[in-house]
Amino acid sequence: MQLYDGYLNKFYDISANGFTEIKSAVSGEPLAVLSETIKNKFYSFSDLKHFQKFYKKYSKIRSLSVFQNESDYIIFSENNKAVQNIYEQYGVAPFPYQIFFLQFLKTSGIKEPAILIEFLAQGQVVRVTTVFPQSSITVETASLESPVIFQNFIREKIGKLKKAGDVKLFVLGKAGQSILPDASVLSFDDLFSLNVSSYIFEEPAFKIRTQKSRELRGTAASFITSILILSFSIFVYNGFKTKTEVYRSKALNNNYAIQELKNRLKSETGKMFLYKLARQPRYTRMLAGLLELFPAGAYVKEINISAGSLKVTGYTKKSYRDFVRVFNTLKSRLAGKGYKITPLAASNADFRFVIRGNNEKD
């Protein structure tokens, strides 16, 4: 069995011995695909007839793979052209990698939120798969630069998921249990024992051809319908035009008032901070030099200045992988400059860091 990891842009061979990196997919062998371009969404239907009606309509525009658990469905969707390219380039039928973990949870009777941790590249790369029942599946991949930061990241994730009840934590292989001792260990045989043919994406070539013929047959009817809709819309437009203009005017006035208050608040806050800096010019030099070291993706949340010290709280807007990159870049740039940087763990915060430094002498 094979895996294409779109997050790492690598191919792997999956066996009982683990993941082995390969140069390319082998024609004819099953190929699991893990990619940011594959979307997944939870659906529930009252009966099979309603699901089939939905599938028929949705599959006209996307290639679909469906995981079913009783009356619940998780629909994985991918661009038709992307799936077609996989068929043509590798001669294999792709399927979503996440179904392995879903199938394990289904056969184990686990209905709570669950997290699967996988360690790749001799433990230097970590992949986190989070399943939130009746919602969605998310995947995050990052370099394991700091076990402490990663442990805090997992604790925060568990803390958020616990609002919906208990959370199950798993690691693939015993090597990862040294970092997460509370996690249950899954073997490769536990996770990769599945008939994947039930979950492959439909080959879209036939679907595209039949869709074109349907579009041609429906062109005449669509043209007539559009004329009727146009006539009706002109009549309705004249009736609602006056009311719409009144509502729009009120909305614009409210937006202007809100923006004016925001600008005034920013202005007053800025004046107070500039007053503090004017009284203590040393901090101006320190702050300017410090902010020049910030890499792309790092933002300032709060700046505190007091006698003899400067404290800057920063954050990143994206994933754990980006936080590790920003944190390590700042740590390297601040080395030997009299500053100390530490990660900030909070149950309901973004990824944050704190930089502290002492004032310099004139």
Side-chain angles (χ1 to χ4, degrees):
M1 191 174 299
Q2 306 172 99
L3 163 66
Y4 171 67
D5 191 329
Y7 293 83
L8 302 178
N9 193 26
K10 292 182 179 180
F11 287 93
Y12 293 96
D13 179 71
I14 305 173
S15 66
N17 297 324
F19 293 103
T20 304
E21 187 175 344
I22 56 179
K23 291 183 178 181
S24 181
V26 178
S27 177
E29 293 188 15
L31 177 64
V33 178
L34 183 65
S35 171
E36 293 178 343
T37 62
I38 296 178
K39 309 299 180 184
N40 68 80
K41 194 171 182 181
F42 166 85
Y43 294 93
S44 182
F45 300 94
S46 57
D47 53 47
L48 184 60
K49 182 179 179 181
H50 284 83
F51 164 71
Q52 291 174 337
K53 183 178 180 181
F54 164 84
Y55 185 90
K56 183 178 180 181
K57 181 178 180 181
Y58 195 11
S59 63
K60 294 178 182 179
I61 57 174
R62 303 276 290 182
S63 293
L64 306 181
S65 180
V66 182
F67 181 85
Q68 182 182 1
N69 187 3
E70 298 176 352
S71 62
D72 298 335
Y73 297 79
I74 294 179
I75 311 294
F76 295 90
S77 62
E78 175 62 293
N79 181 275
N80 274 337
K81 189 173 182 180
V83 173
Q84 182 73 60
N85 289 340
I86 294 175
Y87 274 93
E88 293 177 351
Q89 185 172 358
Y90 303 112
V92 296
F95 61 95
Y97 176 75
Q98 295 94 320
I99 65 167
F100 289 115
F101 191 36
L102 287 173
Q103 181 67 24
F104 168 78
L105 297 177
K106 178 181 177 180
T107 55
S108 303
I110 297 173
K111 298 183 179 180
E112 299 89 348
I115 301 173
L116 173 65
I117 313 296
E118 301 168 81
F119 294 91
L120 307 172
Q122 290 75 46
Q124 296 305 306
V125 178
V126 61
R127 181 164 57 225
V128 181
T129 303
T130 306
V131 177
F132 195 35
Q134 299 186 348
S135 178
S136 63
I137 307 165
T138 60
V139 177
E140 298 168 272
T141 304
S143 298
L144 185 64
E145 301 291 348
S146 168
V148 175
I149 295 178
F150 179 69
Q151 289 168 347
N152 289 337
F153 165 68
I154 294 299
R155 291 192 190 100
E156 288 185 21
K157 184 177 285 291
I158 291 175
K160 293 177 181 178
L161 292 178
K162 274 189 174 180
K163 297 177 182 178
D166 194 18
V167 180
K168 302 293 184 182
L169 182 64
F170 301 92
V171 293
L172 183 60
K174 293 183 178 180
Q177 202 173 34
S178 60
I179 298 178
L180 297 169
D182 296 332
S184 301
V185 178
L186 294 183
S187 69
F188 279 77
D189 290 337
D190 292 330
L191 198 63
F192 300 112
S193 57
L194 172 67
N195 178 16
V196 299
S197 62
S198 303
Y199 302 104
I200 62 173
F201 284 103
E202 182 183 348
E203 203 278 339
F206 173 76
K207 197 159 52 181
I208 293 172
R209 288 196 300 269
T210 55
Q211 182 180 351
K212 288 182 179 178
S213 63
R214 286 194 298 266
E215 289 173 352
L216 290 173
R217 290 196 302 268
T219 300
S222 299
F223 180 72
I224 295 173
T225 304
S226 64
I227 294 177
L228 295 175
I229 292 175
L230 177 62
S231 301
F232 178 72
S233 63
I234 292 174
F235 173 77
V236 173
Y237 172 76
N238 289 331
F240 286 98
K241 180 179 179 181
T242 303
K243 290 184 178 180
T244 303
E245 289 178 347
V246 172
Y247 293 145
R248 182 174 179 274
S249 177
K250 289 183 178 179
L252 287 174
N253 290 336
N254 287 337
N255 288 338
Y256 291 146
I258 292 170
Q259 190 60 45
E260 184 179 353
L261 288 174
K262 286 183 177 179
N263 292 338
R264 187 181 302 173
L265 179 60
K266 289 181 180 179
S267 175
E268 294 302 321
T269 304
K271 290 176 182 178
M272 178 58 68
F273 189 68
L274 292 174
Y275 171 74
K276 290 183 178 181
L277 291 179
R279 291 189 60 189
Q280 303 181 67
R282 294 176 180 174
Y283 293 115
T284 304
R285 296 192 298 271
M286 290 178 66
L287 188 57
L290 179 60
L291 295 181
E292 287 179 353
L293 302 177
F294 271 47
Y299 303 91
V300 175
K301 178 69 176 179
E302 185 178 2
I303 299 175
N304 292 320
I305 54 177
S306 58
S309 66
L310 171 68
K311 175 184 174 184
V312 176
T313 303
Y315 67 98
T316 60
K317 294 182 178 179
K318 296 185 179 180
S319 65
Y320 166 74
R321 172 174 48 183
D322 291 290
F323 174 77
V324 171
R325 176 186 61 79
V326 169
F327 183 88
N328 287 338
T329 301
L330 276 173
K331 185 176 181 180
S332 175
R333 293 179 179 179
L334 293 172
K337 297 184 182 296
Y339 294 98
K340 181 180 180 182
I341 181 171
T342 56
L344 180 63
S347 60
N348 59 348
D350 295 328
F351 299 111
R352 296 183 182 178
F353 54 85
V354 178
I355 299 174
R356 293 181 173 86
N358 296 323
N359 198 357
E360 298 175 344
K361 301 295 182 181
D362 286 336

